[in-house]
Amino acid sequence: MGMIFETHAHYNDEAFRDDLDSIFARFPEKRIGRVVNIASDLDSIGECLDLAHRYPFMYCALGIHPSDSAPLTDELLEEIRGKLSDPRVVAVGEIGLDYYWDTPDREIQKHWFEEQLEMARQADLPVVIHSREAAQDTMRLMQDHRAEEIGGVVHCYSYSLELAKEFVKMGFFIGIGGVVTFKNARKLKEVAAGIPIDHIVLETDSPYLAPVPFRGKRNSSLYLPYVVDAIAQIKGMDPEEVISRTEENAERLYRLRS
Ligand code: NI
């Protein structure tokens, strides 16, 4: 029987400071298997590595989120690069462009996105891409850097089905989380219906984006069964099959063995 693979969480977030172990203790009951914890800013790099070493079911991705890229320097990027050979590191991320918050300056965001794409290529790791209201520039930079050779996931996917098909053509996975349960998420439901199951991975982005009926509350991987059920319903599939297929996909994405 498959286990739910959580491809994107932030358990280093202070929202989990007091009860991380009690959340993890309930993983078996909700059939949560492996988790990839994702770094975002400079402080989170060390925290994510620590967590991935402390918990045997946890891996991590190391990288700098576009909204946190202002303090990056070549020296700091070298420090991150040096940690990528750690066996618990399975990806570079999250990296990308965020024109919703739109800070720092777009040229700074683009610069560090490009640098980190090349860092992933050199380290032979996939990328976890964060892209918000920046579809065109994200696709253009990915094409410029031949991202199809690097591989990865577009996490918390928020664009059209048409563009999702382009990412899938590049071999990328589409990360789907709690938003798919929202009543007004017509576009994401179309994406879930329209792309093949073998390019979908499950994620929460915890502590953010809890699914219905917990919308607005703190999210955790424990709520992933709601995402499984939503995708199963949209695709007319058995929830068990959604769990096992997306688990296989996550193993392919992060190049892990079952
Ligand atoms: Ni995230």
Side-chain angles (χ1 to χ4, degrees), residues 56-101:
F57 57 84
M58 190 178 283
Y59 302 87
C60 65
L62 301 186
I64 302 297
H65 187 291
S67 305
D68 295 307
S69 61
L72 255 183
T73 62
D74 291 336
E75 292 71 27
L76 289 167
L77 197 69
E78 282 315 303
E79 276 183 41
I80 297 170
R81 191 192 305 275
K83 299 179 196 303
L84 296 178
S85 55
D86 186 291
R88 305 306 290 174
V89 177
V90 294
V92 169
E94 53 189 293
I95 65 174
L97 301 173
D98 193 317
Y99 295 172
Y100 174 78
W101 295 110

Side-chain angles (χ1 to χ4, degrees), residues 10 17 27 49 68 71 78 86 104 124 127 142 162 171 197 220:
H10 301 283
R17 202 178 38 199
F27 273 11
L49 267 175
D68 295 307
E78 282 315 303
D86 186 291
D124 199 18
V127 285
M142 285 172 70
E162 197 185 2
I197 186 69
S220 86

Side-chain angles (χ1 to χ4, degrees), residues 114-250:
E114 296 191 88
E115 290 287 315
Q116 293 184 95
L117 280 169
E118 287 308 315
M119 183 170 81
R121 172 193 300 287
Q122 285 157 15
D124 199 18
L125 288 171
V127 285
V128 178
I129 290 184
H130 169 104
S131 178
R132 199 165 175 202
E133 295 188 11
Q136 272 192 335
D137 282 357
T138 301
M139 182 51 101
R140 189 174 54 77
L141 291 183
M142 285 172 70
Q143 285 167 343
D144 286 354
H145 289 268
R146 302 190 312 278
E148 69 277 7
E149 299 170 0
I150 299 169
V153 57
V154 184
H155 119 83
C156 195
Y157 188 78
S158 60
Y159 300 131
S160 67
L161 171 59
E162 197 185 2
L163 190 66
K165 287 178 174 167
E166 294 299 311
F167 286 121
V168 165
K169 242 186 251 172
M170 296 172 88
F172 269 70
F173 292 88
I174 303 295
I176 295 182
V179 175
V180 78
T181 68
F182 297 177
K183 216 172 181 177
N184 55 356
R186 185 183 55 83
K187 212 167 60 169
L188 185 59
K189 290 180 209 279
E190 268 174 28
V191 169
I195 61 169
I197 186 69
D198 61 348
H199 280 272
I200 294 175
V201 291
L202 304 176
E203 65 164 70
T204 57
D205 207 17
S206 294
Y208 309 108
L209 297 171
V212 172
F214 302 102
R215 188 172 180 177
K217 303 249 165 54
R218 184 187 69 171
N219 199 4
S220 86
S221 312
L222 297 171
Y223 297 155
L224 276 171
Y226 294 95
V227 177
V228 169
D229 287 346
I231 293 173
Q233 196 179 7
I234 289 165
K235 294 193 90 61
M237 286 174 69
D238 188 279
E240 280 303 322
E241 200 185 346
V242 172
I243 291 172
S244 59
R245 297 289 293 275
T246 54
E247 184 183 31
E248 288 166 19
N249 299 343

